[in-house]
Amino acid sequence: MERTLENELSVGVAELDIASNVNIGASDSNENDTEDFLSVVVPRGRMAAKLAAAAPYNFFLTTITNSEPTHTDPLSVTFQELLDPSLGELECSLQISFLVDMGWLLKHYSLAGYENVPLFVLHGDETPELQKKPNVTALKVEIKTPFGVHHTKMGLYGYRDGSMRVVISTANLYEKDWHNRTQGLWISPRLPAVPEGSDTTYGESRTEFRASLLNYLDAYKLHQLQPWMERIRKTDFSDVKVFLVASVPCGEHYIPMGPFWGYPRLGHLLSQHATPIDESFPLIAQSSAIGCFGRSPKSWIQREILNNFGKDRAYRNIRLLPGFRFIFPTYAYVCNSHDGLEGGSCLPYTQEVHDKQKWLKNYLYQWLSQARHRNKAIPHIKTYCRWSPEGLQWFLLTSANFSKSAWGTDRYDGCLRINNYEAGVLFLPKILLNEDFLPLDSNGKHPQFPLPYDVPIVPYAPRDTPFFIDYLLNDTESG
């Protein structure tokens, strides 16, 4: 795969399967052998019931091939289940991703009976031309900003009765991301069409999700998206109870003009809706790549991120900023994962970058997920949250790694620079439950929020080291 790896890995924004040479051309799967193609086969017709049982959070993890308990876990899903007939009869769909294996994707559509249904794919990485299929359009999103990546993972599903559904994910559209990696998905309820003649404001959610989604799609400036935007305008989003938190590339987002993208967007929402908690409770960040932060935590994490990710109230004194903890797999964890050392191919953090920010070791915590049966499934999921003894103050599932390219940086002039397209959903207890906190245990009144990792989180041991992509590159070169 020809790319400028050094630059992309150094900013921690790429997701490259360096060792595995992912085939993004046609699939070699036998058209008639479903079980050989699907890593996990689940009964058809049950996804709608599974989704209803997952309310109010609608937060799922991907099924892990080598972890059998996840095959029947009610909060685990396969990609094929997103096309399940119980969710609706598909009329058209839009898939937005970074990496796409078109053969793998089209095989899933074919198995679901949607081989000829219109499909529009927006992708970030190079994809070879398809054999001409009149129902499929694939378009590469061009990024003008340096080191930018089209990193969003989102699916829009339109049904024949006029309704639609939105899926926000961390998984790319190819086999390895749905195999033995821990990924997260938020799946919306079925969103009906608004009645004919309704006011244009009818059907907006309390979180203004519809307007946020339209703003995000409009940022592409693609005429091919206009039919989808028109459909969204005519859809009732009132059952959506999460906020869309997105980033789009731009050299100059002037922050005081409006917190629309990146970390100012999250900070604005937290200042409006999060219950204040003591500053001693830290931000817990977790992602599959790590950016270049600077010579100390003050350079970006404290000055910009903690000033916003902890923004239930505006902080004026750095001594009052919340703490910070970062969950990232250790080298030993990756070696013992389902896919061994090769499993680390989706963790593009280099030793060169780490050597410039060795202070980060003091903030590193292990990825452990025994309770969710994913203790050997490499986390490609990205999450951010704060919790207190009462529960979660907020939780964010997103495509955005912990990097300046994903979240933005203010270079002391009030203008936010963002390189990437990203999308995530913010869970806030006041909106979801009319409570101050999301419960971290079953309290009888509301279901436990399904964290993807074990708590309490465990710090690195003195001899632990984060996994560096260098281990895999060196192993490949020597082998």
Side-chain angles (χ1 to χ4, degrees):
M1 189 181 292
E2 295 186 11
R3 317 174 55 101
T4 54
L5 288 177
E6 182 178 351
N7 287 339
E8 290 191 338
L9 293 174
S10 69
V11 295
V13 297
E15 299 172 290
L16 305 177
D17 274 284
I18 296 167
S20 54
N21 268 334
V22 174
N23 172 24
I24 54 176
S27 172
D28 293 327
S29 301
N30 187 318
E31 282 285 325
N32 298 315
D33 201 337
T34 300
E35 293 196 10
D36 280 354
F37 175 73
L38 299 178
S39 299
V40 179
V41 179
V42 297
R44 286 168 60 86
R46 300 183 183 180
M47 186 58 203
K50 182 187 283 191
L51 180 58
Y57 310 124
N58 291 20
F59 175 33
F60 295 86
L61 302 180
T62 48
T63 300
I64 305 302
T65 303
N66 290 4
S67 176
E68 288 193 10
T70 71
H71 300 183
T72 54
D73 175 17
L75 294 179
S76 297
V77 295
T78 64
F79 184 82
Q80 187 66 199
E81 286 178 281
L82 300 181
L83 303 172
D84 191 78
S86 66
L87 295 178
E89 186 180 357
L90 200 63
E91 180 180 50
C92 56
S93 61
L94 167 64
Q95 296 288 355
I96 302 176
S97 188
F98 173 40
L99 296 171
V100 180
D101 178 340
M102 290 298 298
W104 177 88
L105 181 62
L106 295 181
K107 177 68 173 182
H108 272 284
Y109 274 76
S110 178
L111 289 175
Y114 296 133
E115 184 175 9
N116 298 314
V117 169
L119 168 63
F120 183 24
V121 180
L122 284 180
H123 59 93
D125 204 39
E126 294 292 345
T127 298
E129 288 188 15
L130 293 169
Q131 294 180 343
K132 296 296 182 182
K133 293 183 71 69
N135 64 307
V136 180
T137 301
L139 183 63
K140 183 178 186 297
V141 178
E142 300 297 335
I143 307 288
K144 297 180 181 179
T145 55
F147 311 126
V149 176
H150 179 256
H151 205 240
T152 296
K153 288 88 175 168
M154 180 189 301
L156 304 183
Y157 300 83
Y159 303 112
R160 292 195 178 277
D161 65 356
S163 65
M164 67 173 291
R165 194 181 310 276
V166 180
V167 176
I168 305 291
S169 169
T170 66
N172 290 286
L173 297 173
Y174 72 107
E175 183 180 9
K176 280 189 175 291
D177 263 19
W178 295 81
H179 178 50
N180 278 331
R181 294 175 181 170
T182 300
Q183 309 277 8
L185 303 92
W186 171 79
I187 305 175
S188 82
R190 192 166 179 170
L191 308 172
V194 300
E196 287 289 337
S198 298
D199 185 87
T200 55
T201 61
Y202 181 90
E204 179 59 285
S205 69
R206 183 180 171 187
T207 64
E208 298 184 342
F209 192 97
R210 183 172 64 187
S212 300
L213 181 57
L214 287 169
N215 285 337
Y216 174 79
L217 294 177
D218 184 60
Y220 285 100
K221 304 303 179 187
L222 295 172
H223 68 87
Q224 296 94 331
L225 288 174
Q226 290 305 315
W228 274 102
M229 294 176 70
E230 186 59 29
R231 182 167 192 145
I232 291 166
R233 292 186 186 99
K234 296 179 179 179
T235 299
D236 185 345
F237 278 74
S238 56
D239 285 340
V240 173
K241 296 181 179 180
V242 295
F243 292 86
L244 183 67
V245 176
S247 295
V248 300
C250 187
E252 294 184 354
H253 293 305
Y254 188 55
I255 297 173
M257 292 296 290
F260 300 121
W261 312 112
Y263 72 71
R265 164 69 172 168
L266 179 57
H268 173 73
L269 293 174
L270 296 179
S271 69
Q272 296 293 310
H273 302 287
T275 299
I277 60 175
D278 190 279
E279 62 272 5
S280 63
F281 299 117
L283 164 72
I284 312 296
Q286 174 272 312
S287 69
S288 61
I290 305 176
C292 302
F293 303 135
R295 295 182 179 180
S296 77
K298 296 179 183 179
S299 302
W300 181 68
I301 292 176
Q302 289 182 347
R303 183 175 69 89
E304 300 187 62
I305 294 302
L306 293 182
N307 247 332
N308 286 270
F309 283 32
K311 200 171 183 178
D312 43 70
R313 288 291 182 268
Y315 293 93
R316 294 289 182 263
N317 189 324
I318 199 167
R319 289 176 297 179
L320 297 180
L321 289 174
F324 164 65
R325 296 174 183 176
F326 187 78
I327 298 173
F328 191 78
T330 64
Y331 170 72
Y333 173 88
V334 173
C335 289
N336 291 316
S337 69
H338 289 307
D339 295 332
L341 194 63
E342 187 180 330
S345 61
C346 66
L347 304 173
Y349 185 44
T350 66
Q351 186 155 8
E352 179 184 2
V353 173
H354 187 69
D355 287 345
K356 297 176 182 177
Q357 52 192 33
K358 289 185 177 179
W359 53 264
L360 185 62
K361 176 72 181 290
N362 298 325
Y363 299 86
L364 289 175
Y365 284 69
Q366 301 178 46
W367 167 267
L368 299 170
S369 188
Q370 194 72 40
R372 300 298 301 271
H373 306 289
R374 287 168 172 81
N375 216 36
K376 291 188 175 184
I378 297 293
H380 187 259
I381 189 174
K382 293 90 170 153
T383 63
Y384 303 82
C385 65
R386 287 185 75 198
W387 70 63
S388 72
E390 289 82 10
L392 282 168
Q393 184 198 30
W394 57 271
F395 183 88
L396 178 73
L397 171 72
T398 177
S399 65
N401 283 307
F402 201 46
S403 73
K404 297 175 184 178
S405 285
W407 286 105
T409 183
D410 169 18
R411 298 177 185 172
Y412 300 98
D413 60 0
C415 289
L416 187 73
R417 275 76 171 182
I418 296 176
N419 290 338
N420 292 5
Y421 286 93
E422 307 281 0
V425 288
L426 175 64
F427 301 80
L428 280 163
K430 285 188 177 179
I431 306 299
L432 279 162
L433 308 175
N434 196 28
E435 302 282 358
D436 289 334
F437 299 97
L438 300 171
L440 286 174
D441 52 26
S442 299
N443 60 15
K445 187 176 180 182
H446 302 292
Q448 176 181 349
F449 189 84
L451 280 175
Y453 48 78
D454 295 340
V455 291
I457 57 176
V458 179
Y460 273 33
R463 293 188 178 182
D464 280 339
T465 179
F467 177 82
F468 302 128
I469 200 69
D470 310 65
Y471 296 128
L472 185 56
L473 291 171
N474 294 336
D475 184 73
T476 302
E477 290 168 2
S478 63

